[in-house]
Amino acid sequence: MKQRISKNQIYWLCQVLGWFSLVLVETINYTFVLVGSFQWEYVSAFGIQALYGLLVSHFYKILFIRKSTFEKPVRAIWVKGLADTFNISLIITLIIIGPSIIQSWELMTDQILAVSIEILGRILNQGRYIVVWIIIYYMYKILERNRNILQEKLEMESLLTSTELELLKTQLNPHFLFNALNSIKALVLIDGQLAKDAIIKLSELLQFSLRYEKTPLIQMSEEIYKVEKYLELEKIRFGSRLSYEIEVARDAEGLEVPPALVLTLTENAIKHGITQLPDGGEIKIQVESRENTLLIQVINSGRLKGENLKGIGLKNIRGRLVHLFGKTANLHLQNHLENSVLTTISYPIHAQS
């Protein structure tokens, strides 16, 4: 297994290659352009200059370029970079010519202007190399900061999405449990044996639900199994007043669906449709795929009313669909035929993981 190169190793590699490329460039420049002949003195002189540049830039970075520098606005960062360029160039210049200035100080007091011009010229000459170092180092730190900010943003968005999804699911389970217990309560007053059977079926249904508590998506076949258990439970209560039919296309059985999605639609069909009709009614569930889109339709007896659109179950479904599949996911309710309601859910298959 290959060992990854650390940031510190990359830093020193760039430092060494960068500064000593100065030796190569300046030697070639002097040999072929300015002087016309090769001399080892050029190599040694530029080598010493590169060594000063490497050491001074490194220790200057440690002492004067803080992490907080790159937390400021971009304009302030580059102003600091310009000042650092001048400071590093000045330090290298003083290291190189400082000893000769001290030795000849008495002679130079009468030539302050000339000495000052020479120092400034050397600073500008050193600055050609330092500004490249500053630009590369500062650009790297700015890009690193932006990358960290983006990573933190993505992590926060992911955490927020996960938290919201978990909240929706924790709201959904009590909602389903409340409806189921109401059904069993009604059975207790009518038939104790039926109530006992209903409790057993509810237990099986809850075990299945808990298994997928932390799962964002399950196979459609597993979701339909849960729906069938629920309808069997409600069939005990409604008897002949409830009939249902489930049709799932073979190519849709293995597709993924948010847990309890179809179950919630079925609950709403029972609560707002079947229970409101003296003679009961029918529920028909159809699942198929069309052109990379999963289509889920629930048709139930009854008529759609304004208050039917404001339930917590439908609100949670819309929230989960947007989080999992984006804004192209859709939930739509409408009156259908003479005495039925059509609920349709669609979302892109290619968005599934």
Side-chain angles (χ1 to χ4, degrees):
M1 182 176 180
K2 294 182 179 180
Q3 187 176 3
R4 293 184 61 183
I5 301 176
S6 67
K7 287 185 178 180
N8 189 54
Q9 291 173 322
I10 294 174
Y11 166 77
W12 279 110
L13 181 62
C14 291
Q15 278 280 69
V16 172
L17 291 178
W19 280 109
F20 284 94
S21 66
L22 176 153
V23 180
L24 178 62
V25 171
E26 288 297 343
T27 300
I28 293 174
N29 185 44
Y30 267 70
T31 300
F32 296 101
V33 179
L34 298 179
V35 178
S37 63
F38 174 79
Q39 296 183 30
W40 280 106
E41 292 144 3
Y42 304 152
V43 179
S44 61
F46 293 133
I48 292 172
Q49 183 179 346
L51 181 61
Y52 287 152
L54 187 151
L55 294 174
V56 172
S57 63
H58 174 68
F59 286 105
Y60 188 92
K61 174 184 75 72
I62 294 175
L63 296 174
F64 300 107
I65 304 179
R66 306 291 185 181
K67 183 179 179 181
S68 58
T69 298
F70 304 99
E71 296 174 357
K72 299 176 182 179
V74 174
R75 180 179 297 179
I77 293 175
W78 287 116
V79 169
K80 173 72 165 54
L82 185 62
D84 291 339
T85 300
F86 177 83
N87 292 337
I88 296 174
S89 301
L90 175 61
I91 293 171
I92 295 175
T93 299
L94 293 177
I95 290 175
I96 293 174
I97 69 172
S100 62
I101 291 177
I102 294 173
Q103 290 176 1
S104 308
W105 180 254
E106 292 182 0
L107 298 175
M108 291 183 179
T109 52
D110 297 332
Q111 303 177 0
I112 294 296
L113 180 59
V115 173
S116 299
I117 292 175
E118 182 182 356
I119 292 174
L120 180 60
R122 286 179 175 270
I123 290 173
L124 293 176
N125 185 52
Q126 293 293 334
R128 292 181 303 155
Y129 307 107
I130 304 303
V131 73
V132 174
W133 186 92
I134 287 292
I135 289 173
I136 294 174
Y137 183 73
Y138 271 51
M139 281 296 296
Y140 172 80
K141 298 300 289 186
I142 290 172
L143 291 174
E144 184 180 47
R145 180 194 70 170
N146 292 342
R147 185 170 61 250
N148 291 337
I149 291 174
L150 179 60
Q151 182 65 30
E152 290 174 1
K153 180 181 178 182
L154 292 175
E155 289 176 357
M156 289 298 295
E157 289 178 350
S158 177
L159 178 61
L160 178 61
T161 299
S162 299
T163 302
E164 289 178 348
L165 281 172
E166 288 304 315
L167 177 61
L168 293 175
K169 288 168 70 176
T170 54
Q171 289 176 334
L172 182 65
N173 284 340
H175 176 258
F176 156 73
L177 185 60
F178 177 78
N179 288 342
L181 289 175
N182 271 343
S183 299
I184 293 174
K185 181 180 70 174
L187 284 175
V188 170
L189 301 176
I190 301 172
D191 190 320
Q193 184 58 45
L194 285 178
K196 181 179 178 181
D197 294 341
I199 292 172
I200 293 174
K201 292 186 179 296
L202 176 60
S203 175
E204 294 175 355
L205 192 56
L206 288 176
Q207 286 178 351
F208 183 85
S209 300
L210 290 173
R211 192 190 318 167
Y212 296 102
E213 180 67 26
K214 300 298 181 182
T215 305
L217 295 168
I218 62 174
Q219 286 194 346
M220 179 59 70
S221 58
E222 295 170 323
E223 173 71 7
I224 293 300
Y225 174 83
K226 184 194 299 185
V227 172
E228 289 176 337
K229 288 292 182 181
Y230 173 73
L231 287 172
E232 289 174 5
L233 179 64
E234 292 291 44
K235 181 71 175 177
I236 294 175
R237 176 163 70 108
F238 285 96
S240 60
R241 292 179 57 220
L242 172 64
S243 60
Y244 61 86
E245 180 182 354
I246 300 176
E247 296 179 1
V248 181
R250 185 174 296 276
D251 60 350
E253 291 179 352
L255 297 178
E256 293 181 319
V257 60
L261 182 74
V262 183
L263 175 63
T264 304
L265 297 182
T266 308
E267 283 185 89
N268 283 335
I270 295 287
K271 180 179 179 181
H272 300 293
I274 307 304
T275 57
Q276 307 299 318
L277 302 173
D279 297 328
E282 179 183 6
I283 295 176
K284 185 174 183 179
I285 300 171
Q286 296 177 314
V287 182
E288 60 181 324
S289 60
R290 295 181 186 174
E291 299 179 352
N292 293 322
T293 298
L294 183 63
L295 185 66
I296 303 170
Q297 292 183 319
V298 177
I299 304 172
N300 64 273
S301 302
R303 299 305 287 172
L304 186 64
K305 300 177 182 178
E307 59 269 20
N308 300 151
L309 303 175
K310 300 178 181 179
I312 186 174
L314 296 178
K315 180 180 178 181
N316 285 351
I317 287 177
R318 286 192 173 95
R320 296 172 75 196
L321 287 173
V322 169
H323 281 302
L324 290 169
F325 305 107
K327 295 182 180 180
T328 56
N330 184 53
L331 167 64
H332 182 67
L333 283 77
Q334 66 183 60
N335 285 316
H336 181 65
L337 301 178
E338 294 184 0
N339 189 34
S340 63
V341 175
L342 170 63
T343 304
T344 303
I345 284 181
S346 61
Y347 55 82
I349 296 174
H350 62 76
Q352 301 183 26
S353 58

